[in-house]
Amino acid sequence: MHKKDQMTPNERLGAFMTGKPMDRILAMPVACSMSGLALGMTHKEKRSSAVNEANAQIACYEKFGNDLAVVEYGLHGVGMALGSEMTDPEDAVPAIIKYILEDLDDVDKLDMSKLELKNDKAFQLHLEAAKLIIEKIGHEVPTGVLISGPFTAAASIYKTENLLRATRRNPEKLHKLINFCNEALKMICKEFIKEGVLILLCDPIASGTILHQKQYREFVLPYTIELMKEIHEAKGMVCYHICGDTTSIVSDMVKSGCDMLSIDNRVDLEYTKQMVGDKVPILGNVDPVEVLYLGNQEDVDLAVKNCIQKGYDSPCGYILASGCDLSGNLPLENIDQFMESARKYGKWPLDPANFK
């Protein structure tokens, strides 16, 4: 437990879920991609082994006292297992350079067995990392896995611009591809749930910045509802996030059956609270780039205060979080400030006077 806190994150989350008092607001800067910085590791070093990935998350928790450790199956995990080729940069997130599926007519040739735990080395690595984290600090802090939603998983197999074109020109085959991805995600999520890992479902290619609401309702929502149902049947908990501007679909996102809704910094927190705050807890939405990566500690303090001020009275509860995963050479003092400001403005009982 962090020296400035009176509860562990597990105790805090338990109190949050049951409506009991806490020492402070839950605070979750999504320290996933950049977590190796806490140990002076490059991104490549961090992702090279289960031990490194686990130690990076443990170091972040010990340094900041953040309320969630995160392992990274990732947004490209499905495509990588099937054979999509990736870059291997030293200090950045890998990107796809060649997609395994070049013709949508070949969707029936995709091999589901490659995605099984016994056949996917990266899957094994991330699951082992989760086990190591839980073994070391699981008695204090929950562990989640960042994993793609079905539409983004499809975009790790088939080039995004072609995927979007197929929503109009070849919807039948596109549905077949998304369904394949969804079946894979069900299997993958269940393996993490068995180990007590929370599901952090992220579907950025389904963003309102990219898709119209009608497309989201046809190509994303039905599969996400199905996936959420399977997660819950496996006794899992899921937080749902879509990057970018999801203003037009926040109500649809909640229809997925998610346990919590995370919003990007491009979505107004006050609006989200009004629309769905009585249905699910809301997470968000300190700007990960302009504030946490490029800003100074005063910027972070102000952004945290503004978010808590907007969200603290959301009917089903509010969790302070970054608007997305934190990446790049982000100043660690800004995460320190994020947590310090959470303790200052989010001290329990929450009182608007704290925000002045």
Side-chain angles (χ1 to χ4, degrees):
M1 183 169 65
H2 194 273
K3 61 184 179 181
K4 293 185 179 180
D5 291 328
Q6 287 76 52
M7 301 175 75
T8 68
N10 282 337
E11 291 169 341
R12 197 172 292 114
L13 180 61
F16 177 85
M17 298 301 293
T18 55
K20 295 178 181 177
M22 303 180 287
D23 57 340
R24 62 159 172 83
I25 198 168
L26 282 159
M28 300 177 179
V30 187
C32 184
S33 294
M34 51 60 61
S35 58
L37 294 176
L39 287 176
M41 290 190 288
T42 66
H43 195 290
K44 186 173 182 177
E45 288 172 327
K46 188 266 294 187
R47 66 177 183 265
S48 67
S49 73
V51 170
N52 281 2
E53 183 175 18
N55 284 343
Q57 285 298 315
I58 293 165
C60 283
Y61 172 64
E62 290 177 345
K63 179 174 177 58
F64 307 121
N66 47 307
D67 287 307
L68 181 67
V70 185
V71 294
E72 187 176 16
Y73 180 88
L75 304 181
H76 306 315
V78 171
M80 286 173 58
L82 291 170
S84 290
E85 296 179 16
M86 309 291 294
T87 60
D88 190 24
E90 187 67 42
D91 228 354
V93 178
I96 300 173
I97 52 176
K98 186 177 180 180
Y99 293 83
I100 187 61
L101 186 65
E102 295 183 352
D103 188 335
L104 202 52
D105 288 336
D106 293 332
V107 64
D108 291 325
K109 297 179 181 178
L110 295 173
D111 185 357
M112 182 69 76
S113 69
K114 291 183 177 180
L115 292 154
E116 295 175 5
L117 180 61
K118 64 183 179 181
N119 297 322
D120 183 355
K121 298 295 184 183
F123 187 2
Q124 294 167 18
L125 184 154
H126 298 305
L127 189 63
E128 180 61 24
K131 292 178 181 179
L132 291 171
I133 293 168
I134 291 169
E135 180 183 344
K136 180 69 181 292
I137 58 173
H139 60 290
E140 289 194 11
V141 61
T143 297
V145 58
L146 181 62
I147 187 168
S148 65
F151 200 71
T152 297
S156 72
I157 299 170
Y158 190 55
K159 196 173 183 179
T160 301
E161 61 188 69
N162 295 336
L163 187 80
L164 298 176
R165 194 175 293 119
T167 62
R168 303 186 303 275
R169 297 183 181 178
N170 201 352
E172 183 178 345
K173 287 289 175 65
L174 179 56
H175 276 294
K176 187 168 287 190
L177 173 61
I178 300 169
N179 184 66
F180 174 90
C181 293
N182 216 35
E183 292 303 310
L185 290 169
K186 291 174 187 176
M187 173 180 64
I188 294 161
C189 286
K190 286 176 183 177
E191 294 291 344
F192 281 103
I193 292 167
K194 286 178 188 176
E195 303 301 328
V197 180
L198 309 178
I199 304 300
L200 312 176
L201 195 74
C202 186
D203 212 348
I205 308 300
S207 171
T209 308
I210 300 173
L211 296 183
H212 296 298
Q213 185 182 48
K214 183 179 178 181
Q215 291 172 306
Y216 175 83
R217 288 175 174 175
E218 179 179 354
F219 295 100
V220 182
L221 184 58
Y223 298 99
T224 310
I225 290 172
E226 192 178 307
L227 178 57
M228 298 282 185
K229 185 173 181 289
E230 290 270 346
I231 290 170
H232 288 144
E233 287 178 355
K235 309 301 182 186
M237 178 181 289
V238 58
C239 178
Y240 188 25
H241 177 85
I242 295 180
C243 302
D245 189 355
T246 56
T247 303
S248 64
I249 59 170
V250 289
S251 294
D252 291 321
M253 289 174 69
V254 171
K255 291 176 184 176
S256 69
C258 59
D259 298 293
M260 297 180 180
L261 181 70
S262 167
I263 58 169
D264 190 282
N265 55 282
R266 294 190 62 184
V267 184
D268 184 67
L269 187 53
E270 186 74 38
Y271 170 84
T272 305
K273 179 177 70 176
Q274 293 172 1
M275 293 298 293
V276 299
D278 61 339
K279 297 178 177 65
V280 291
I282 297 169
L283 286 80
N285 63 344
V286 176
D287 191 322
V289 178
E290 294 297 327
V291 174
L292 288 166
Y293 180 68
L294 298 175
N296 57 35
Q297 289 171 273
E298 289 182 2
D299 297 325
V300 175
D301 185 71
L302 179 61
V304 167
K305 181 174 74 169
N306 287 341
C307 282
I308 295 177
Q309 191 168 17
K310 285 184 177 182
Y312 82 98
D313 58 350
S314 194
C316 285
Y318 169 70
I319 296 173
L320 176 71
S322 51
C324 198
D325 179 30
L326 304 179
S327 61
N329 290 314
L330 186 144
L332 296 184
E333 59 267 24
N334 281 355
I335 302 181
D336 259 329
Q337 186 61 58
F338 182 101
M339 295 304 301
E340 286 301 300
S341 298
R343 295 181 180 102
K344 177 170 60 172
Y345 301 118
K347 184 179 179 181
W348 203 266
L350 294 175
D351 186 340
N354 294 343
F355 315 142
K356 294 180 181 178

